[in-house]
């Protein structure tokens, strides 16, 4: 078996507050293979961004990785000294955030930023790096790149800026890209273009992509697999078609019910009453149990671990036994 590009094992992330320690990520495990796009969904506060930030070593105090391991192509990267993880960031892991301006320095011409990043990580001359920057800008769909390369970030539209960020993210040929809501700030028409660009990265370069979004349409469009997060855990993970069309976890069912049209099917909108618990008030057992229409006694006591169920892994006691058994227990 080939080694996954990214392997996250039992990740725990904590934030220390004056009063207590809040556990934002509580035992998250997943892999992303070469060329694979893993979509990560879940409602606000589920832990999608914190997971991404942990992978790129950007959890700053008072936050910390409290447990687990993160491997990049087989090498453990979660305990590296800051300068080593900084070298990996940019070179081996590219980042795309919601707001392109967080990644672009407004005082530098975009070409200078790309050339500098290329030269920091790849052994290229100034001329060769500039040539590569122009090629990359062309590749991400910036018109007249040989001219635009000398423009400043403010001279670009939001969509064009995000393309520049993608060029910057891929310029050192990373193995992995973490994209956190890369299209949320963009117009719908531009979103589609950015998404197809991200999708192409996996196909053309074998880049592994972790794509965080709360847009299920985007996930269905781009991802090979999807992880559904809830309260700092993965509720369900599996191939995108299987999870979208046949979600198992009651929370995933609710989320998928909320996609208006997939393959033209008229899915009924499933409402999930209530809201996700605050980190300071996560209930014992399954953190979804207060909102779950299928919860039984065990769900209030025992925290479900993700278990394999067909092509999915699902953290739900309903699926911990043979399907018939589960149905009996639920009915009881
Ligand atoms: N620096 C911080 N200090 C304290 N708590 C934090 C910090 N950053 C994140 N959290 C908490 O960690 C939890 C997960 O946050 P995270 O940003 O990962 O959510 P998310 O899934 O990305 O949500 P959204 O969809 O709104 O972006 C939340 O409860 C959040 O309040
Ligand atoms: Mg987020």
């Amino acid at each position: 078996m080939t080694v996954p590009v990214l392997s996250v094992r039992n990740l725990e992330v904590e934030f220390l507050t004056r009063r207590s320690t809040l556990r934002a990520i509580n035992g998250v495990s997943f892999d992303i293979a070469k060329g694979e796009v893993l979509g990560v969904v879940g409602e606000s506060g589920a832990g999608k961004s914190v997971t991404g930030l942990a992978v790129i070593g950007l959890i700053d105090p008072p936050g910390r990785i409290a447990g687990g391991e993160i491997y990049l192509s087989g090498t453990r990267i979660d305990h590296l000294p800051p300068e080593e993880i900084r070298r990996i960031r940019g070179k081996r892991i590219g980042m795309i955030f919601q707001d392109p301006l967080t990644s672009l320095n407004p005082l530098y011409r975009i070409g200078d930023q790309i050339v500098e990043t290329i030269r920091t990580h790849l052994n290229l001359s100034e001329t060769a790096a500039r040539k590569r920057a122009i090629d990359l800008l062309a590749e991400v769909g910036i018109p007249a790149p040989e001219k635009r390369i000398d423009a400043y970030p403010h001279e670009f539209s939001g969509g064009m800026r995000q393309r520049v960020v993608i060029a910057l993210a891929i310029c050192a040929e990373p193995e992995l890209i973490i994209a956190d809501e890369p299209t949320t700030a963009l117009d719908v028409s531009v979103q589609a273009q950015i998404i197809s660009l991200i999708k192409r990265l996996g196909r053309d370069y074998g880049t592994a992509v972790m794509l965080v979004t709360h847009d299920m349409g985007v996930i269905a469009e781009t991802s090979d697999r999807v992880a559904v997060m809830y309260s700092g855990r993965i509720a369900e993970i599996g191939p995108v078609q299987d999870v979208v069309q046949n979600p198992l976890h009651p929370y995933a069912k609710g989320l998928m019910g909320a996609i208006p049209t997939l393959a033209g099917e008229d899915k009924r909108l499933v409402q999930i009453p209530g809201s996700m618990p605050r980190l300071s008030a996560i209930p014992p057992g399954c953190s979804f149990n207060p909102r779950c229409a299928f919860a039984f006694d065990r769900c209030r006591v025992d925290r479900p671990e993700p278990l394999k169920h067909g092509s999915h892994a699902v953290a739900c006691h309903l699926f911990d036994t043979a399907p018939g058994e589960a149905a009996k227990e639920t009915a009881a």
Side-chain angles (χ1 to χ4, degrees):
M1 236 188 79
T2 50
V3 178
V5 172
L6 178 66
S7 188
V8 172
R9 288 285 155 267
N10 291 316
L11 180 67
E12 291 176 11
V13 177
E14 292 176 347
F15 292 101
L16 304 167
T17 69
R18 259 182 309 136
R19 291 215 194 131
S20 61
T21 300
L22 300 176
R23 183 159 295 179
I25 303 297
N26 194 357
V28 159
S29 300
F30 63 90
D31 289 342
I32 310 181
K34 193 171 156 66
E36 185 177 60
V37 180
L38 175 75
V40 182
V41 280
E43 68 200 82
S44 189
K48 306 179 297 295
S49 296
V50 169
T51 302
L53 290 172
V55 169
I56 55 184
L58 287 180
I59 301 286
D60 294 322
R64 65 180 190 113
I65 294 180
E69 293 128 53
I70 301 170
Y71 297 89
L72 182 64
S73 301
T75 308
R76 190 158 171 194
I77 59 165
D78 54 287
H79 281 346
L80 294 178
E83 63 281 9
E84 276 186 52
I85 186 75
R86 205 175 308 126
R87 220 174 305 136
I88 287 178
R89 230 185 288 137
K91 167 69 189 116
R92 296 182 61 193
I93 309 179
M95 295 164 290
I96 308 168
F97 295 114
Q98 178 172 338
D99 178 4
L101 293 178
T102 54
S103 311
L104 298 173
N105 186 328
L107 303 177
Y108 285 94
R109 297 172 198 275
I110 57 125
D112 293 345
Q113 297 182 51
I114 300 175
V115 166
E116 190 191 310
T117 307
I118 292 173
R119 297 203 65 203
T120 306
H121 298 297
L122 304 178
N123 187 17
L124 287 182
S125 70
E126 178 81 31
T127 319
R130 187 174 163 91
K131 165 84 171 57
R132 178 169 165 79
I134 292 171
D135 291 347
L136 281 166
L137 290 173
E139 184 166 342
V140 297
I142 307 269
E146 58 294 328
K147 285 211 197 75
R148 303 294 278 156
I149 188 169
D150 292 316
Y152 289 90
H154 73 264
E155 298 176 77
F156 290 81
S157 68
M160 285 295 157
R161 253 181 236 145
Q162 198 60 305
R163 289 169 195 263
V164 172
V165 170
I166 294 174
L168 195 59
I170 63 176
C171 72
E173 301 169 346
E175 292 144 73
L176 172 69
I177 290 202
I178 308 277
D180 192 347
E181 308 268 6
T183 62
T184 307
L186 306 175
D187 291 344
V188 176
S189 59
V190 182
Q191 281 185 14
Q193 297 162 5
I194 298 293
I195 285 303
S196 67
L197 192 56
I198 292 173
K199 203 169 159 181
R200 245 184 38 216
L201 298 176
R203 223 176 37 213
D204 296 353
Y205 296 97
T207 315
V209 180
M210 173 176 163
L211 175 63
V212 173
T213 171
H214 32 219
D215 186 333
M216 275 312 304
V218 166
I219 294 280
E221 189 81 3
T222 50
S223 305
D224 300 295
R225 287 188 309 135
V226 59
V228 177
M229 289 193 70
Y230 189 82
S231 268
R233 314 248 307 148
I234 291 181
E236 183 166 352
I237 184 168
V240 72
Q241 286 306 321
D242 299 353
V243 174
V244 167
Q245 282 166 13
N246 182 29
L248 300 175
H249 195 287
Y251 175 65
K253 278 196 164 68
L255 268 193
M256 302 312 156
I259 325 173
T261 50
L262 237 155
E265 276 176 59
D266 191 21
K267 289 202 174 182
R268 208 165 65 86
L269 208 122
V270 183
Q271 296 288 349
I272 315 178
S275 54
M276 205 168 62
R278 275 173 296 120
L279 293 183
S280 55
I282 292 185
C286 171
S287 54
F288 186 62
N289 89 70
R291 297 173 77 184
C292 183
F294 306 97
F296 53 103
D297 290 348
R298 187 179 173 195
C299 307
R300 295 175 196 101
V301 189
D302 232 10
R303 193 180 73 174
E305 296 301 327
L307 296 175
K308 204 141 174 55
H309 191 90
S311 63
H312 313 216
V314 57
C316 174
H317 293 313
L318 291 174
F319 298 94
D320 196 1
T321 44
E325 297 276 349
K328 258 186 267 150
E329 270 191 277
T330 320

